[in-house]
Amino acid sequence: MNFVEELQWRGMIHNMMPGTEEQLNKEMTTAYLGIDPTADSLHIGHLVGVMMLKHFQRSGHKPIALIGGATGMIGDPSMKSQERKLIDEETLRHNQEAIKKQLSKFLDFESDAENRAELVNNYDWMKDYGFLAFIRDIGKHITVNYMMAKDSVKKRLNGENQQGMSFTEFSYQLLQGYDFLYLYQHKNCRLQLGGSDQWGNITTGTELIRRITGDVDTFALTCPLITKADGGKFGKTESGNVWLDPKRTSPYKFYQFWLNVSDADAEKYIKIFTALSREEIEALVAEQAQDPGKRPLQKRLAREITTMVHSAEDCDAAIEASQILFSNHAGETLHKIDEDTLLAVFEGVPQFEVPTSVIEAGVPLIDLLTEHAAVFASKGEMRKLTQGGGVSVNKEKVADPQMKIDGSFLLNGKYILAQRGKKNYYLIIVK
């Protein structure tokens, strides 16, 4: 597989240094990509870079994922309007382990293959490097004029917030440049990958290598920053980032995010965030054009990426959960899904709290839904709708309004789902 050609048809190349493709065609090449370790989980904004590493390894080359422990303690000024909070070493190590576990879903770290992936942390080679030694060995090779000319620096210096830029942040590109030099010297790394906002930092690395070693055969390749078709920010929802950690974003919510992207975004994202072949994707695009209502692109995108990040079982459970609202036979599924998924599926529906003692004693449904939870305004209204088959409990139709509701009806030990008509749901929380 030709790495550059693969990325080109997927729309994943923004800028590339001359000679990059020739280098990759010549021999197995080592490349690295930096990952910010300020959280103990990646979010979907990281996935473009991770997919670049995945395609790189699939093409027979060796990927290195660099955890930016040292640089993460400083903060990259690129595209940021203010300094980030710094992290301590204990947090850094915890985050590193969590991130490696997630990366292992995409990259082969464990096999005996010559191009198996490696994980490194720049804190390991920076922590004992003294300031005086660093500015003497490294700082003298890059001029302030060169650093000031970078867009990331210019934007901050001329920014609207008037906070300027600390020396700490200004030194960031020198530290990232040194990472490239270090990996070049110790791992024979000749290519750095990154987002388009990293171009300035990456080319500082190639320049540093050239000035110190005289080698001009180091390269840079960046991918575009992902946006939504409507101009909105990719990967952000009302509740914040979409994370890969199921404790932060449940597999159900993760699946739903991809399922609900627009047609234009689905066609773009399926190329970037899956490893499906060009032929498979073109067939899906044609299918979508014939019958957009069936949304084959979104469904396949959501399935592929949820399976890759979580598991096939988690994906199947998310699909099953997402059909609860539209199925009249979802009672069994309701009893199987976990609490987080249940709450996610019924997010925003009216909720009522009922004391445990009411349910333990057993309560007629008609009393529960009128006196304890105001699902119906009157008992007469409930009887009438029940006769017409319009009342359900836990997705099972109710024939008798006097049916006794007890602990056996509880979902996850504390919830009862009432339904009035086709679309009106109510969550009763027993506590």
Side-chain angles (χ1 to χ4, degrees):
M1 191 173 93
N2 182 303
F3 177 67
V4 172
E5 283 178 10
E6 185 74 10
L7 259 55
Q8 273 169 337
W9 77 259
R10 291 182 183 275
M12 291 174 73
I13 295 182
H14 182 267
N15 216 336
M16 183 170 66
M17 205 173 267
T20 303
E21 191 167 10
E22 290 78 358
Q23 167 63 32
L24 295 176
N25 289 338
K26 185 173 74 176
E27 61 190 356
M28 187 186 86
T29 302
T30 300
Y32 90 93
L33 177 126
I35 294 171
D36 170 21
T38 46
D40 62 357
S41 173
L42 302 173
H43 54 72
I44 58 174
H46 292 108
L47 279 182
V48 190
V50 174
M51 289 305 294
M52 286 173 84
L53 289 178
K54 183 179 176 70
H55 292 309
F56 194 69
Q57 191 170 40
R58 288 175 68 220
S59 302
H61 300 292
K62 183 177 179 70
I64 294 177
L66 180 142
I67 299 293
T71 37
M73 289 182 169
I74 291 175
D76 179 3
S78 303
M79 305 302 172
K80 307 284 192 305
S81 58
Q82 55 192 8
E83 281 199 44
R84 68 170 59 157
K85 294 188 176 98
L86 311 183
I87 57 173
D88 58 50
E89 187 177 355
E90 188 184 348
T91 306
L92 172 65
R93 295 299 179 191
H94 165 74
N95 294 354
Q96 177 181 330
E97 284 309 305
I99 289 169
K100 182 173 183 184
K101 194 175 171 187
Q102 292 178 340
L103 288 173
S104 298
K105 302 271 184 83
F106 298 83
L107 302 171
D108 166 23
F109 288 98
E110 304 301 329
S111 79
D112 296 331
E114 198 181 352
N115 71 326
R116 71 178 174 276
E118 282 188 53
L119 186 85
V120 297
N121 189 329
N122 61 12
Y123 183 73
D124 293 331
W125 57 80
M126 286 306 305
K127 67 178 186 291
D128 298 321
Y129 206 152
F131 177 70
L132 291 177
F134 184 80
I135 57 172
R136 182 193 62 208
D137 300 344
I138 306 301
K140 69 179 182 182
H141 293 285
I142 300 291
T143 66
V144 170
N145 309 52
Y146 179 87
M147 294 169 76
M148 294 277 283
K150 300 292 185 182
D151 283 345
S152 59
V153 175
K154 283 196 286 195
K155 279 180 182 166
R156 276 296 293 277
L157 291 177
N158 303 323
E160 297 167 8
N161 66 2
Q162 302 300 312
Q163 287 181 7
M165 182 185 214
S166 68
F167 174 76
T168 309
E169 282 189 302
F170 183 61
S171 63
Y172 185 93
Q173 63 170 292
L174 206 53
L175 288 167
Q176 186 168 327
Y178 178 65
D179 286 342
F180 201 170
L181 173 66
Y182 182 92
L183 291 174
Y184 165 83
Q185 290 173 329
H186 294 83
K187 303 280 185 186
N188 191 29
C189 180
R190 292 189 172 273
L191 171 63
Q192 187 180 164
L193 306 169
S196 57
D197 59 330
Q198 293 295 311
W199 183 255
N201 292 333
I202 295 173
T203 51
T204 297
T206 60
E207 183 65 11
L208 189 62
I209 292 168
R210 185 188 70 78
R211 292 186 184 187
I212 289 178
T213 71
D215 192 341
V216 294
D217 289 331
T218 54
F219 305 95
L221 188 153
T222 60
C223 61
L225 295 180
I226 304 304
T227 54
K228 283 161 53 176
D230 64 6
K233 191 163 184 183
F234 166 74
K236 291 276 188 184
T237 65
E238 285 177 19
S239 54
N241 282 321
V242 179
W243 298 92
L244 273 56
D245 185 336
K247 292 193 287 292
R248 289 173 178 252
T249 300
S250 70
Y252 169 79
K253 277 193 168 179
F254 188 85
Y255 178 83
Q256 286 294 314
F257 172 83
W258 300 102
L259 189 65
N260 291 316
V261 301
S262 70
D263 288 2
D265 285 335
E267 188 172 337
K268 181 167 76 167
Y269 295 167
I270 201 163
K271 293 174 186 172
I272 295 170
F273 297 110
T274 77
L276 293 176
S277 70
R278 192 171 192 165
E279 293 72 30
E280 285 176 287
I281 290 173
E282 284 170 355
L284 287 163
V285 170
E287 196 183 330
Q288 183 102 344
Q290 278 187 329
D291 190 352
K294 285 191 173 172
R295 309 175 85 239
L297 273 175
Q298 284 94 333
K299 286 176 182 174
R300 188 64 185 277
L301 170 67
R303 177 180 278 283
E304 288 290 322
I305 198 159
T306 305
T307 300
M308 193 156 46
V309 167
H310 296 292
S311 69
E313 292 74 25
D314 285 333
C315 182
D316 289 342
I319 292 169
E320 211 174 347
S322 62
Q323 291 165 349
I324 286 173
L325 294 174
F326 312 105
S327 167
N328 294 322
H329 311 287
E332 194 182 324
T333 306
L334 264 183
H335 283 277
K336 281 195 309 191
I337 62 174
D338 60 72
E339 184 175 4
D340 286 346
T341 304
L342 177 73
L343 294 176
V345 172
F346 295 100
E347 192 173 18
V349 309
Q351 296 183 354
F352 300 101
E353 287 189 9
V354 172
T356 307
S357 56
V358 171
I359 302 299
E360 280 177 349
V363 59
L365 181 64
I366 194 164
D367 293 349
L368 178 65
L369 300 187
T370 54
E371 295 171 16
H372 301 284
V375 173
F376 291 93
S378 70
K379 293 186 176 182
E381 183 192 359
M382 188 200 154
R383 285 193 194 94
K384 190 175 175 186
L385 197 60
T386 306
Q387 285 170 356
V391 178
S392 296
V393 172
N394 296 342
K395 293 297 284 184
E396 304 284 352
K397 282 204 187 303
V398 173
D400 178 12
Q402 296 293 335
M403 177 175 79
K404 275 278 172 72
I405 301 295
D406 57 25
S408 65
F409 285 83
L410 294 180
L411 307 170
N412 285 288
K414 61 190 284 195
Y415 302 100
I416 295 170
L417 181 71
Q419 187 177 351
R420 192 185 78 195
K422 280 189 177 176
K423 294 183 179 174
N424 299 308
Y425 290 95
Y426 304 87
L427 199 59
I428 297 168
I429 303 169
V430 179
K431 56 198 299 190

